[in-house]
Amino acid sequence: MLVDPKTIIFLENLRFFPGEKENDPEFTKSLASLGDCYINDAFGVCHREDASIIGLPKLLPSYGGLLLQKEYRCS
């Protein structure tokens, strides 16, 4: 998929894909191919071992989003 370099892609409802819950490496690679970095802003799912939580940070530069940082500072 060709995407303009200035495009931001938001993904949601990944839990409906079988590869997400299974932490499938091929699914993770397909997600990683969509971007240059990974931003996690979902504090409530950080404990999960899903592809988008565990796998993507191993393949892309990754960062905590503003809400995640706020939750971390408050805990």
Side-chain angles (χ1 to χ4, degrees):
M1 175 169 99
L2 283 176
V3 178
D4 184 301
K6 297 178 183 176
T7 300
I8 296 174
I9 298 173
F10 290 93
L11 302 175
E12 57 184 320
N13 296 328
L14 292 175
R15 290 185 289 168
F16 297 117
F17 290 88
E20 170 69 353
K21 297 302 274 178
E22 298 164 5
N23 194 10
D24 177 29
E26 292 304 314
F27 180 69
T28 306
K29 287 179 191 174
S30 69
L31 290 176
S33 73
L34 298 173
D36 299 318
C37 69
Y38 169 71
I39 308 295
N40 182 351
D41 209 21
F43 180 78
V45 300
C46 285
H47 66 284
R48 295 185 182 161
E49 295 187 24
D50 299 346
S52 65
I53 305 298
I54 299 295
L56 278 177
K58 294 177 181 175
L59 299 176
L60 294 173
S62 57
Y63 308 92
L66 297 175
L67 292 174
L68 184 68
Q69 291 176 25
K70 181 180 176 183
E71 288 285 344
Y72 180 75
R73 281 194 294 266
C74 291
S75 59

